[in-house]
Amino acid sequence: MSADLTEKLWDQNPDALIAISPQGSVLYWNPAATTIFGYSRSEAMGQALLELVVPIDRIDDELRSQAEALRLGVTVYEGVRRRKDGSLVHVSVSTKAVCSHDAKLEYFLFNKKDVTHLKVLRDAKLVEARFRDLLESTPDAIVMVNVTGRIVLVNSQSEKMFGHSRSELLGQPVEVLLPNRFRNAHLAHRGGYFQQPRTRTMGAGLELYGLRKGGTEFPVEISLSPITTEEGTMVMSAIRDITDRKRLEQTLRDKNLELENAALAKDRFFASMSHELRTPLNSIIGFTGTLLMKLPGPLTEDQDKQLRIVQTGARHLLSLINDMLDLARLGAGKLDLNLETVDCNSVVEEVVSSLRPAAEKKNLHLEMRLPEPPATLHTDRRALSQIIINLAGNAIKFTEHGSVCLQLEQTRSAGRKTVTFRIEDTGPGIALAEQARLFEPFSRVDAADRRALEGTGLGLHLSRKLAEQLAGTITFHSEYGKGSTFTLELSEE
Amino acid sequence: MLARILIIEDDSFSRDLLSYLLASAGYTVLEAPDGSVGLRLALEGRPDLILCDLQMPVVNGYEVVRALRKQADWRKVPLIAVTAFSMLGDREKALDAGFDEHISKPIAPETFIAQIEAFLPPSLRALHRHRR
């Protein structure tokens, strides 16, 4: 046979023929090698074969087989090799160490047959027998992939989900089920997975998509488990179409945004309403005040009396506006609490000093009993102060003789600190029939009582709501004709 | 001489009220119906104290205080916000913007003069000028 013909036969050989130097660089690379591995002859020549086609985790195997060939002359084995595009092929390799007559290694000669498809068929047969029935019974689409990333098993849920038939998928790289833009990254990750296989969720935190036969995409969630078999490690992917969940999540997000916007609009509405109501009241209360101060000139007794009625009415309106806005914001969960360490003694002291003029006007004893050292709480000072003012203000308003006493106590039990504010009066007390409705809005006790009409009718209602915000309770004890005691209890760990 | 006081306020009733209270106490009053006129009057009239609404057309109270505080000779002139914004946080917002005080509407006419005089040197006060 002529050298030409020999060369031609080598070129026509259906298997890859590759020769490498003792140092490992490619000396010969036939066209079938290009077909199988993707590198052209000129790309491959002179390159280190190990770096070109051997996956990192297979390098030891390859070196062992070369050493064996050196010892025995020829070895045969099957293994995974990497193509130029990163995909894996399964090859059956015969290696021969070609030595000179003085037993010096001249080159290694490899015959590499691409058995990827045979391997798929073998693996498919194995896993079909072992897992098929089991996998048909799960609700998820299951795709099993062998060590070269080829699909070896799909259940019928997968066929439905992806629109491909079983025979179309068998032997295909699993990347056919992914949109194009994910394929390269997936190839790289797949190699990593086989090096450290463990059960886990794929692409945790990433948005993953599947690709249907028709080209449409759908969001998926995938969990991976390695399956060890006598044909090597395979990977089982359980795939779930999460289109519905995504849609639900989006709806929830939209809804949340809508609610946030509504809450914001409500906030703005409260702020504008407060502003708009106060502006005209400024003129009413202001000019009533200047008239009563007699700045423009003297007033007759009737004028003075009537102007005081206007003033009282306007101030009442202002309190109503303030209470209603507070209630509205409470209802909308928009009362921002400013939690800080509050000296409760000083809160009571402030309330007492602001209410003292009113008590003195009625000749009432206004007392306070405070603990030493002062009671402290982690709470909202303004809300706390407002509750105490409301309770103590009521006590003064309804009591004609005797005293109003504010008592503060701090106790500890089982690691909980409890601070109790007790407001005790010697007023008329509350009739049993009225007690049940006491905290309802506008439930004035005995509406015929002029004193009751001085208030907004929201004070106790608001106080209880505020107490709830502070995780506290307001209770009362009253005996008709003997006075009432209101108790605010706040506690903390 | 009593202080010259500039009122910047778009609600004419509120402006009349402040103006009347101040004039009754003996102060010289300058009035502006919005922030831009207010800024002009501040520069021309050299008031000793400015009362300023917050929500106004054209130039609002925050813009007035920022514009004035930028200039060295306006850093020490007392600027008081008189506003119907009196919800939680509004006071802090006004003080942060550069106002010396925040008085919420409705004002209390009986104590209003004393409130603002706290920001005037005794020689320019109407009520307490002879005390101390």
Side-chain angles (χ1 to χ4, degrees):
Chain A
M1 226 179 339
S2 72
D4 268 5
L5 183 59
T6 311
E7 181 76 23
K8 205 169 175 186
L9 286 176
W10 280 48
D11 279 356
Q12 292 302 323
N13 191 341
D15 296 336
L17 287 174
I18 299 168
I20 62 171
S21 68
Q23 290 72 38
S25 55
V26 175
L27 301 172
Y28 181 77
W29 188 265
N30 78 342
T34 298
T35 308
I36 295 174
F37 296 108
Y39 295 97
S40 68
R41 179 185 210 123
S42 59
E43 282 172 324
M45 290 298 282
Q47 299 298 311
L49 185 66
L50 283 182
E51 286 170 25
L52 223 47
V53 301
V54 184
I56 288 175
D57 57 329
R58 304 293 171 142
I59 286 178
D60 287 348
D61 287 349
E62 174 62 29
L63 293 176
R64 207 175 300 126
S65 121
Q66 287 179 17
E68 208 173 275
L70 205 52
R71 194 151 43 82
L72 303 175
V74 177
T75 58
V76 178
Y77 88 107
E78 241 185 65
V80 174
R81 291 293 177 266
R82 191 184 54 230
R83 290 172 49 87
K84 184 183 178 185
D85 66 5
S87 61
L88 300 176
V89 287
H90 210 78
V91 289
S92 164
V93 187
S94 311
T95 309
K96 180 172 185 187
V98 180
C99 297
S100 59
H101 51 270
D102 55 349
K104 200 162 168 258
L105 175 65
E106 285 186 13
Y107 54 90
F108 283 111
L109 180 61
F110 302 101
N111 185 93
K112 303 197 179 198
K113 182 190 280 293
D114 182 352
V115 293
T116 307
H117 195 64
L118 291 173
K119 169 77 172 152
V120 165
L121 294 179
R122 231 159 52 210
D123 290 347
K125 201 169 155 191
L126 177 85
V127 292
E128 288 259 336
R130 197 169 297 173
F131 299 110
R132 175 71 177 278
D133 288 346
L134 180 70
L135 298 185
E136 281 305 319
S137 64
T138 80
D140 292 331
I142 304 281
V143 174
M144 282 184 75
V145 165
N146 74 358
V147 71
T148 60
R150 284 355 188 245
I151 296 170
V152 294
L153 179 97
V154 293
N155 63 357
S156 51
Q157 287 87 324
S158 304
E159 293 181 291
K160 253 181 268 159
M161 188 180 287
F162 290 96
H164 288 284
S165 71
R166 202 179 295 258
S167 59
E168 284 171 328
L169 288 175
L170 207 68
Q172 292 296 316
V174 69
E175 282 75 23
V176 298
L177 301 177
L178 301 180
N180 246 321
R181 63 184 184 283
F182 294 117
R183 288 183 185 171
N184 282 337
H186 188 264
L187 264 177
H189 283 142
R190 202 176 72 202
Y193 186 83
F194 271 101
Q195 282 168 42
Q196 273 185 311
R198 66 193 162 84
T199 300
R200 63 169 172 89
T201 307
M202 185 169 138
L206 296 178
E207 304 260 312
L208 301 175
Y209 292 88
L211 179 69
R212 286 195 197 89
K213 190 178 183 181
T216 55
E217 296 181 13
F218 57 102
V220 291
E221 194 176 71
I222 302 177
S223 51
L224 304 174
S225 329
I227 308 271
T228 311
T229 72
E230 54 271 33
E231 286 287 349
T233 301
M234 308 207 196
V235 177
M236 184 175 86
S237 319
I239 303 155
R240 194 166 291 179
D241 181 343
I242 55 168
T243 306
D244 288 347
R245 201 182 74 198
K246 285 274 168 193
R247 195 177 302 134
L248 203 66
E249 282 172 1
Q250 190 55 46
T251 312
L252 277 177
R253 267 197 297 274
D254 292 350
K255 204 81 204 156
N256 264 340
L257 200 68
E258 216 172 277
L259 284 175
E260 269 169 40
N261 286 340
L264 218 66
K266 209 169 195 172
D267 262 6
R268 274 197 293 268
F269 177 73
F270 290 148
S272 314
M273 187 159 81
S274 164
H275 186 270
E276 295 312 308
L277 291 170
R278 280 162 181 279
T279 302
L281 269 179
N282 191 41
S283 323
I284 299 171
I285 291 178
F287 280 117
T288 314
T290 58
L291 286 166
L292 283 167
M293 288 158 77
K294 303 188 177 63
L295 290 181
L299 296 171
T300 68
E301 204 175 305
D302 281 347
Q303 285 170 340
D304 188 276
K305 189 179 160 203
Q306 289 168 17
L307 280 169
R308 278 186 202 286
I309 294 171
V310 175
Q311 190 179 49
T312 307
R315 284 184 181 157
H316 184 82
L317 193 55
L318 179 62
S319 321
L320 266 175
I321 290 166
N322 288 339
D323 284 0
M324 287 201 334
L325 282 170
D326 275 345
L327 266 179
R329 298 176 80 210
L330 263 178
K334 281 293 159 191
L335 194 89
D336 302 316
L337 294 181
N338 178 23
L339 297 179
E340 55 182 348
T341 303
V342 175
D343 174 349
C344 300
N345 284 33
S346 78
V347 171
V348 173
E349 279 166 348
E350 275 167 28
V351 171
V352 164
S353 80
S354 76
L355 292 177
R356 192 167 292 288
E360 279 171 358
K361 222 164 160 182
K362 298 175 80 175
N363 273 322
L364 298 176
H365 286 288
L366 184 58
E367 295 169 43
M368 52 182 167
R369 286 183 211 138
L370 303 175
E372 263 327 310
T376 57
L377 266 178
H378 194 67
T379 191
D380 181 275
R381 188 184 182 98
R382 178 177 163 271
L384 175 60
S385 175
Q386 197 174 346
I387 298 170
I388 309 296
I389 284 194
N390 281 343
L391 296 179
N394 274 348
I396 292 170
K397 192 163 65 186
F398 288 99
T399 305
E400 294 306 328
H401 305 286
S403 63
V404 170
C405 177
L406 280 74
Q407 193 182 331
L408 181 56
E409 256 177 36
Q410 176 170 315
T411 54
R412 250 176 206 293
S413 82
R416 278 194 87 73
K417 175 164 82 177
T418 303
V419 177
T420 310
F421 300 79
R422 203 167 281 123
I423 293 106
E424 196 174 349
D425 67 52
T426 56
I430 302 156
L432 213 56
E434 311 276 9
Q435 291 189 3
R437 295 176 48 243
L438 200 60
F439 288 92
E440 285 171 27
F442 303 114
S443 72
R444 292 193 181 83
V445 170
D446 189 2
D449 189 334
R450 176 190 50 77
R451 293 168 305 188
L453 291 173
E454 284 170 15
T456 59
L458 290 170
L460 279 179
H461 180 65
L462 182 59
S463 296
R464 175 166 273 186
K465 292 267 181 198
L466 282 171
E468 283 167 8
Q469 288 290 302
L470 303 181
T473 55
I474 298 179
T475 53
F476 70 98
H477 172 79
S478 182
E479 215 172 310
Y480 195 54
K482 285 191 180 166
S484 313
T485 303
F486 282 79
T487 306
L488 167 68
E489 220 176 75
L490 299 172
S491 61
E492 66 189 17
E493 293 294 329
Chain B
M1 258 287 276
L2 295 188
R4 293 158 66 81
I5 297 178
L6 170 60
I7 303 166
I8 310 176
E9 164 68 79
D10 65 322
D11 175 50
S12 69
F13 294 154
S14 295
R15 203 166 61 235
D16 287 350
L17 174 62
L18 296 181
S19 166
Y20 182 77
L21 274 170
L22 293 169
S24 300
Y27 290 105
T28 306
V29 179
L30 306 170
E31 296 183 34
D34 66 56
S36 81
V37 178
L39 281 171
R40 187 163 53 74
L41 279 189
L43 301 177
E44 286 171 8
R46 293 278 145 192
D48 301 297
L49 183 145
I50 298 175
L51 300 174
C52 188
D53 188 17
L54 291 180
Q55 181 174 288
M56 289 184 292
V58 193
V59 176
N60 70 31
Y62 295 110
E63 292 165 322
V64 169
V65 74
R66 268 181 225 122
L68 288 178
R69 290 297 191 220
K70 256 189 237 160
Q71 304 168 47
D73 46 343
W74 286 97
R75 291 236 167 95
K76 293 225 167 101
V77 177
L79 279 161
I80 300 176
V82 181
T83 171
F85 283 121
S86 67
M87 291 174 82
L88 206 65
D90 285 334
R91 180 183 170 80
E92 290 69 23
K93 208 170 138 195
L95 298 186
D96 285 350
F99 284 104
D100 295 291
E101 177 61 304
H102 170 277
I103 297 178
S104 64
K105 294 177 190 171
I107 62 158
E110 300 82 2
T111 53
F112 185 76
I113 297 294
Q115 264 178 299
I116 66 155
E117 281 187 344
F119 294 90
L120 285 175
S123 61
L124 295 178
R125 291 178 190 165
L127 287 184
H128 307 295
R129 60 192 313 207
H130 301 302
R131 290 187 197 163
R132 269 206 295 161

